[in-house]
Each structure stands twice: as C-alpha cells, then as structure tokens.
Amino acid sequence: MDMDKLVSLCKRRGIIFPSSEIYGGLNGFWDYGPLGVELKRNIKDAWWRDNITLRDDMVGIDCSIIMNPKVWEASGHVGGFSDPMVDCRETKERYRADQLHVFRYDLAAISEGRVQIFAVALTGGTVDDARGSLSDRMTNLSRKGHLPIKLKDLPEPEVVEFLSVPVADRDGIVGPSATKPGTLTEPRNFNLMFESHAGAIADEANKVYLRPETAQGIFVNFKNVVDTGRVKIPFGIGQIGKSFRNEINPRNFIFRSREFEQMEIEFFCRPDEAAEWYAYWRKTRFQWYIDHGIKSDKLRLRDHDPDELAFYSTATADIEYEFPFGVSELEGIAHRGDYDLGQHQKFSGKDLTYFDEEKKERYLPHVIEPSAGADRATLAFLCEAYQEDEVGGETRTVLKFHPRLAPIKAAVFPLVKRDGMPEMAEKLYRDLKKHFNVFQDEKGAIGRRYRRQDEAGTPFGITIDGQSITDGTVTFRDRDSCRQWRVPSANAVQALRDLLEGQAVPGGESEGQA
RNA sequence: GCGGGUGUAACUCAAUGGUAGAGUACCUGCCUUCCAAGCAGGCAACGUGGGUUCGAUUCCCAUCACCCGCUCCA
C-alpha cells in the first residue's frame, strides 16, 4: 500500500484535507471532510460503546482542555518534558542536552590553564554507562589526530553531565560526532505544551496550557467521580477528547500531528489486583482492533523492555500497526501504579485515597491506562481497508471497512432513470435514512456507481430494477464479494440492520464481517 | 531544527522565457436493465512573496506546505 495513494484518495473523496488549505495549510494540522468525520465518529462511537456504555465498571467524563496549570506541574509536563536540545554545527546532529555526557580533563598544568573537554552522546544512559563510550571515542579521536595532546599524556578525566559544565567552558567540548571543539549550540528549550493566557491580558500570572493528554483530567476528577458516581473499585473512567503537543516534527499524514484526539481509560483497582487488570486490558484492547477489521499481521502487541519503562511503571505494552512508513504505536496500555493519584495528592494537598468497603481498608488505587489515539486508529483502519482488487478484469480501489465503521452504510440506486425506478429508490432511501447513514445516486452507469461507493467503503448497494416495480424486491450487493441477492423492499431496513450487525452475506462465506 | 526532493485543474500527469494541454472526476443534455459504456457541451490550475527581464508558470532568492532521511515522539 502506497501512502501517497491513500492521501490522494482521502483528499479526493473528502475524508481528510490539509488544514486551512487555501492559505497554504499549516504544518501538523489536518481537517476531516464529510466522509472522514463519519469514519472517525464511528470509531469513537464504537470505542465509547464498547468501553463505557456496554460495561458496568466504566463511566465517562469530558474535561476542559485548559486546566489549572498546577495540574501540569503535578503530572511532570511543565518541569520534565521541556527537554533542552543541543545541535551540532559541524555534523548537523541533534541531541537531548540531558543525555549528553562529557569527559572533563583539567589541563591547567599542561595547556595554559585551559580546560579541554570531550563529549559523547548516549541514549538515556547514566554517567557510569557513559564512561566506556567516552573512552572509545577518545581512542578514536586520538587515532585520527584530532587531539591536541597524546592520549597517554592526558590526566585522568572526570565524567560529568553536559548541563553541569559551566557555559564558559562549553566551547571546549567536542561534539559526539564532531572532530573539532566548539561546534555544539547552547541548549534550546523544547516546549511540549501549547501556551495561552486565560483572560484578556497576557502575562505570566495567567499563563495556561492546552492539555497534552486527556488522562490528567480524569485523575483530577477521581475524587469527584468516587463521591458522586456510585462507583466501586475496580472501575474505570473513560474520556475522548482533543489534546495538543508541540511535536518537534509532525510527520506521516495524520499519524503525528500537533492537534489530535485521544481515547483514554484510567482503570482504578486494588494494588494487589493491578497486574491482573493490566493483563486483562492488554488483551481486551488488542482484540478490539481485530474485531473492527484489522485482521492482518500488521497489528502487533509489543511489551516494553524493562529499560524502556517510565520509572513509575511496572509494565507497559504498545499496540502497534505496520504503516507504510513503518511500525508505529496506536495505543499504549500502561500499568502506572499509584503514581498519578500520588502526585495529585501531593500537589493539591487533597486526600485522594479510596475507602474499600469490602476490605475495610483505605488506600491509593493503582491505575491501568489504555490510551489510544483516535486519529492514529483512523489512519490504521484506512490503511488496512485500502485495497486494489480485480473485478471482471478491471482494477478497482476499495476501502474494506468494517460495516460498523463505514461512513456510509448503504447506497440506493435506481438501475436506470425511468419507469418508476427513481421514485421507488427515493422512497426506499427515505425509509433507510431514518435508521442509517445512506446515500442515493441515480447518475451514470450502475457499474460506476458501485465503484464510487467501493471507494468510499460503503459495504452494501441496493438497486431497484424493472423486477422491483412488479414484485417489490430489490437487489442487495456486497462490497467485498460483489455478490448479489434479492430482498423484498419492505424488509430492506431489517435486512440491512442484520447485515450491519454481522449476519453473513447469502450464498457465501461471511467474509469476516462479524 | 538540519540535509535532500517535490509543488501546474478536485485527482494523476504534460508542455513552455511570449500567461498552459490531456486523462480521470465533476456539472448539463441525450442514450442506457447490474460492475469505472457511448455521444455532445460545460466548469476548472501554474503554492505565496520578491528579484532578473520588454515579458516569468519556466531562471534566481526567500517563504510556506508536503515527501524521504536525521533528530524527536515524555
């Protein structure tokens, strides 16, 4: 599957447009068109219904996007995730300043009081980890003649973090891939969160942030829900909503954008049952994608390595999809312990513990967080659905959406535009439209109308022909198999409902439309 | 943010230092009884801003957007 073809189809069929396109677009922002908004809404509705409505242990919430800024101090987004970045002028590489380590030599005795320093980058390493890599790097620099002094003449170095080196001394540092000192820029802050001001006057005192995740709105409402929702642990709170992040580099269509929509669950449970619930959600959420049409082996469930985990998490798994641009994360299921409630308890000074009636015990619940990207899911469903088939020797482009997700559920066609067929089609269309999003098309050849709907992912076509006028039956046509069968017009609403709910297409295998 | 590439109609492409042509799509007719049919007509584009030039869609610069790689993705 070619990403360009999908982007082009999305544009052509009104699924996804570049944001504010007539002004040249805006990097990292996209708009959903008439078909796209239906698709995405169906995905969100399916998620909500399966995870909230149909369950006894889940409730929903819808929090404001802008919250008290202290929320983001507690969550760590203000302090922790504004990573300073360092660029190398020589090699054009970029590093996170907090991951750079430096060999610091005191050359005062042999080099006119100058302190000469060398640096090497590590990914997430500690000072001790850095030592070996730095030694290798020094040997390498020495061999290539980039050192001012022979390696054996150097004094014993001290391993320090880049950020701890005084600014005045930093021009003596050789970058991790550079050959000369002084090519690293000063660290520049990378602001993850969008900032704004609550109130007409913009100053520091009223600075606010657009939320970078929906999760914190759930945590800060935990007490409210417990106090008013008649909920008992174990239970979860779900939320669907927009979030905003200043990604360094938005890329890959709607996969990484700066404004995006999340579908998140925070599931609160007893500490000693958390591992079980983690296993449960890990499995349940993976199956959800399969049940909605991602049946290929492009869907993966990957457990994080221990060194990949956030410090507060004891287990995390990613649901990944093999997109044309690579394998990327659709949803993360994280065992977060009591970290978040603990943080908010600390920062707000409010007691967020839960009294367990059964155990007669008060504790801070542990949390399992299945956090899904609505736009990423939409893209995965699009990629999975996109196919180029052969029908009667002709290639057709078809989006094989699960009927539950398809933007249009059925299209109604008069076979030709005369003999009462358009009138009968119109009536059937009106009847169906009371129940489903259906579409009517009487223009052009019937084959073309079928193909148009194939491209929009419409699972069923209903055609009114000459026989319909005499005996009142209409022809149903299945998108995936192109198979056809007749149904009395009076039963069309129920027949379509059955099909959308997974009833097999007559005369063949169900084609996996369960 | 760096390097490379691309930017012409809704989509896919073409040509050109003298303001652009096609296919598909779309619209209007006619014709059409089941998988992108035919005929006739129609709508519709040089990303943006500068510069060079008598004249720029074409050459140059900048900018914006998209794609690939690096970085990043808490």
Side-chain angles (χ1 to χ4, degrees), chain A residues 83-136:
Chain A
D83 300 325
M85 312 293 290
V86 169
D87 289 309
C88 179
R89 294 189 191 92
E90 181 183 330
T91 63
K92 307 297 182 198
E93 294 198 18
R94 165 175 285 180
Y95 312 99
R96 269 177 58 175
D98 60 350
Q99 291 185 353
L100 283 176
H101 291 88
V102 172
F103 255 17
R104 182 192 175 98
Y105 297 91
D106 184 355
L107 303 184
I110 49 177
S111 181
E112 297 161 1
R114 193 86 180 87
V115 175
Q116 187 82 28
I117 294 164
F118 298 94
V120 68
L122 291 177
T123 46
T126 64
V127 167
D128 279 342
D129 296 334
R131 196 174 299 275
S133 316
L134 286 164
S135 293
D136 294 347

Side-chain angles (χ1 to χ4, degrees), chain A residues 37-52:
Chain A
V37 71
E38 296 290 341
L39 172 64
K40 189 176 169 188
R41 245 195 50 235
N42 289 341
I43 290 167
K44 290 189 286 183
D45 286 351
W47 183 95
W48 190 269
R49 194 169 158 74
D50 291 346
N51 290 290
I52 313 286

Side-chain angles (χ1 to χ4, degrees), chain A residues 203-321:
Chain A
D203 60 32
E204 275 301 300
N206 62 13
K207 184 155 96 178
V208 292
Y209 303 99
L210 307 194
R211 68 180 173 202
E213 61 176 32
T214 54
Q216 299 305 323
I218 297 177
F219 291 125
V220 301
N221 275 293
F222 171 71
K223 191 169 153 51
N224 279 340
V225 174
V226 168
D227 288 350
T228 61
R230 305 185 65 190
V231 289
K232 273 202 303 210
I233 270 179
F235 78 96
I237 305 175
Q239 170 162 227
I240 296 176
K242 289 276 181 104
S243 293
F244 304 82
R245 289 181 206 176
N246 264 315
E247 299 287 359
I248 284 183
N249 196 346
R251 204 54 83 80
N252 295 329
F253 201 28
I254 58 171
F255 183 82
R256 181 174 302 143
S257 55
R258 290 187 168 136
E259 173 178 341
F260 57 100
E261 199 154 18
Q262 295 183 291
M263 306 184 289
E264 286 199 299
I265 294 169
E266 304 300 334
F267 195 83
F268 303 95
C269 54
R270 291 175 180 165
D272 60 345
E273 291 174 355
E276 243 172 86
W277 281 110
Y278 168 74
Y280 167 82
W281 281 110
R282 180 180 168 283
K283 194 171 143 229
T284 302
R285 289 303 307 148
F286 186 67
Q287 188 62 38
W288 188 82
Y289 292 94
I290 298 171
D291 290 345
H292 288 82
I294 304 192
K295 296 181 189 305
S296 73
D297 60 4
K298 292 192 172 79
L299 190 73
R300 322 263 169 83
L301 182 57
R302 186 180 68 83
D303 293 306
H304 281 209
D305 291 332
D307 60 357
E308 216 180 332
L309 295 171
F311 68 89
Y312 47 77
S313 177
T314 53
T316 299
D318 283 348
I319 297 170
E320 300 176 327
Y321 185 75

Side-chain angles (χ1 to χ4, degrees), chain A residues 357-374:
Chain A
E357 302 279 357
E358 277 174 51
K359 294 183 100 175
K360 304 288 180 217
E361 199 180 298
R362 184 167 282 283
Y363 56 85
L364 211 50
H366 280 212
V367 169
I368 310 302
E369 177 189 83
S371 169

